[in-house]
Amino acid sequence: MTPLRSMVCVGILGAHHIPVSGIMADEPSIRLMVDTDLDQVFSLIDQENWGWEFHEIRRIFALDTRNSIVAEINGEIVGLITLINFGKTAFIVHVIVKEGWRKKRLGARMMRDALQNLDSLDVDNVELHAMPDVAEFYTQFGFKRVEEISFFCKHPGTSGQQNTVDATSDAEFRLLDLEETLSMSECQSRMMGFHESDFQYAMKTDPPEYPVARLVGSSVTAMLIARKGSELNPLGPWFMNHPDKKTARAMLRSAIARLPDRRTDVGISTSNELAKDIFLDEGFSLMTEGVVRVSRSARAVSPFPRELLAIGHLGVI
Ligand SMILES: CC(C)(COP(=O)(O)OP(=O)(O)OC[C@H]1O[C@@H](n2cnc3c(N)ncnc32)[C@H](O)[C@@H]1OP(=O)(O)O)[C@@H](O)C(=O)NCCC(=O)NCCS
């Protein structure tokens, strides 16, 4: 297969701009995203009103500067795919074609180019969280539905149920340093079904500010990663070996108490009733439901287990 980079070279050499039988003249060319694209990239993402902030787009790009792509015509970006290749697992974050350019097969061209590139690397699983009305779009590229995801958020000043007794636990939750967090990649990998090396890469490249864990003796029985955003704090992944409501609520409070007083966002597997109860009890409200987790993988990808109480903001982290 032709890696994207060689196709990009062809693009740079101008082949995409050469009219072929009079039909290619006004077709956007597809190339790798570069740092100087980020303003235009953000503005295209912002038009979808999904609530992304510029610094998050910069963070996604910093995690992987080599695989996101844009479609460009006359200096204008009219399509994009942002993705993070963690090594073995790749997560597609955005797929957008600018209004006016839709239904001209540009989205499909970009997807094929991006996937062809990933296929030429060491990636064995590509995942994304699709909006419900677009999930079907991805089946043509080999993606299969895995499960549904719901997103919850908690606004500053919103308190949970007054029943504090229910959320008090004797368990202690400790803030971890980076080395300790890295050593827990194996637990994360087991819970989320991705490779351990994916977590090692993510944690080293973009260390979380607030990784909280519960340790019993030398073993980890729970871990929650919390991050600080400029407008919102993303929570997750979060797992507990044997989740129970009381300990989970206490752990969530312990993590949130460390965060700046901003909106907190979290994604959970929709079928995880326990996680839903915990977040509702703690003052979170449902923001988006029916988001479809799809995967394109040679191996079987399973729904997240019940022990995983929250997934990460960017699929893996
Ligand atoms: C989804 C999106 C990227 C598709 O891009 P596009 O360039 O319009 O799509 P294409 O023209 O390449 O479509 C290729 C094929 O997919 C189908 N398709 C396009 N959008 C679809 C959708 N929402 N659901 C199911 N199939 C879809 C097309 O009908 C076409 O099928 P065909 O080959 O049988 O004709 C584009 O509509 C978009 O940017 N939407 C807004 C942002 C968004 O929702 N992104 C996805 C978030 S998960």
Side-chain angles (χ1 to χ4, degrees), residues 192-224:
M192 299 197 71
F194 300 137
H195 292 269
E196 195 176 338
S197 56
D198 294 321
F199 290 101
Q200 295 269 350
Y201 173 82
M203 294 303 137
K204 272 193 209 145
T205 317
D206 189 10
E209 298 92 345
Y210 306 102
V212 178
R214 181 184 180 200
L215 297 127
V216 175
S218 58
S219 60
V220 190
T221 61
M223 182 175 177
L224 194 173

Side-chain angles (χ1 to χ4, degrees), residues 6-7 52 54 58 77 95 134 140 169 174 176 253 315:
S6 23
M7 288 188 289
W52 289 87
F54 182 78
R58 183 167 283 291
I77 291 176
V95 180
V134 192
Q140 64 194 297
S169 164
R174 194 159 66 70
L176 301 174
R253 286 187 181 192

Side-chain angles (χ1 to χ4, degrees), residues 22 48 67 83 87 90 93 96 114 139 157 169 229 237 261 290:
E48 296 300 321
N67 295 294
L83 68 89
V93 190
I96 301 177
T139 56
S169 164
D261 195 21

Side-chain angles (χ1 to χ4, degrees), residues 95-97 102-105 107-108 131 133 137-138 140:
V95 180
I96 301 177
V97 170
R102 291 179 190 167
K103 298 196 165 90
K104 297 174 194 286
R105 306 209 52 78
M131 302 307 277
D133 56 339
F137 172 70
Y138 299 102
Q140 64 194 297

Side-chain angles (χ1 to χ4, degrees), residues 32-304:
L32 290 179
M33 190 180 288
V34 292
D35 196 69
T36 48
D37 292 328
L38 290 184
D39 283 339
Q40 274 203 70
V41 162
F42 176 67
S43 122
L44 199 49
I45 293 171
D46 204 35
Q47 282 168 25
E48 296 300 321
N49 287 318
W50 288 333
W52 289 87
E53 299 170 23
F54 182 78
H55 76 93
E56 292 177 296
I57 308 307
R58 183 167 283 291
R59 184 179 155 225
I60 291 161
F61 188 69
L63 271 158
D64 178 0
T65 55
R66 301 161 61 90
N67 295 294
S68 293
I69 57 173
V70 293
E72 179 185 49
I73 186 159
N74 302 326
E76 185 192 6
I77 291 176
V78 295
L80 59 88
I81 294 182
T82 63
L83 68 89
I84 305 165
N85 174 12
F86 292 98
K88 299 292 273 180
T89 304
F91 191 81
I92 295 182
V93 190
H94 306 97
V95 180
I96 301 177
V97 170
K98 189 180 168 142
E99 271 186 59
W101 286 95
R102 291 179 190 167
K103 298 196 165 90
K104 297 174 194 286
R105 306 209 52 78
L106 181 56
R109 272 179 62 208
M110 291 195 305
M111 281 298 292
R112 295 222 153 82
D113 282 9
L115 292 171
Q116 200 173 27
N117 183 44
L118 292 175
D119 286 343
S120 72
L121 304 172
D122 206 18
V123 174
D124 70 4
N125 179 26
V126 185
E127 292 220 358
L128 66 87
H129 297 160
M131 302 307 277
D133 56 339
V134 192
E136 193 55 33
F137 172 70
Y138 299 102
T139 56
Q140 64 194 297
F141 313 108
F143 283 86
K144 293 195 171 64
R145 184 188 186 95
V146 181
E147 63 188 310
E148 272 188 27
I149 306 286
S150 301
F151 290 90
F152 290 79
C153 72
K154 180 181 166 87
H155 293 281
T158 320
S159 56
Q161 272 186 5
Q162 295 312 305
N163 184 359
T164 46
V165 176
D166 192 32
T168 308
S169 164
D170 296 334
E172 289 210 354
F173 309 105
R174 194 159 66 70
L175 197 61
L176 301 174
D177 63 30
L178 180 61
E179 281 309 311
E180 288 176 305
T181 309
L182 282 171
S183 73
M184 283 165 204
S185 300
E186 187 274 329
C187 303
Q188 278 183 277
S189 145
R190 186 161 31 82
M191 291 293 164
M192 299 197 71
F194 300 137
H195 292 269
E196 195 176 338
S197 56
D198 294 321
F199 290 101
Q200 295 269 350
Y201 173 82
M203 294 303 137
K204 272 193 209 145
T205 317
D206 189 10
E209 298 92 345
Y210 306 102
V212 178
R214 181 184 180 200
L215 297 127
V216 175
S218 58
S219 60
V220 190
T221 61
M223 182 175 177
L224 194 173
I225 288 184
R227 290 177 183 270
K228 170 175 75 170
S230 64
E231 283 177 33
L232 61 87
N233 306 313
L235 277 188
W238 178 19
F239 63 84
M240 296 185 90
N241 280 2
H242 304 287
D244 70 272
K245 231 174 165 184
K246 185 177 159 189
T247 318
R249 285 182 66 187
M251 185 169 193
L252 186 57
R253 286 187 181 192
S254 149
I256 288 178
R258 292 176 160 93
L259 294 170
D261 195 21
R262 300 185 184 123
R263 194 179 103 187
T264 307
D265 279 21
V266 71
I268 68 164
S269 175
T270 304
S271 63
N272 194 331
E273 293 295 332
L274 177 69
K276 188 160 88 186
D277 285 354
I278 291 163
F279 286 110
L280 290 175
D281 283 353
E282 286 302 312
F284 282 74
S285 48
L286 182 65
M287 195 168 47
T288 315
E289 58 185 340
V291 173
V292 187
R293 175 185 172 209
V294 296
S295 144
R296 177 185 182 269
S297 175
R299 60 189 169 87
V301 173
S302 310
F304 294 130

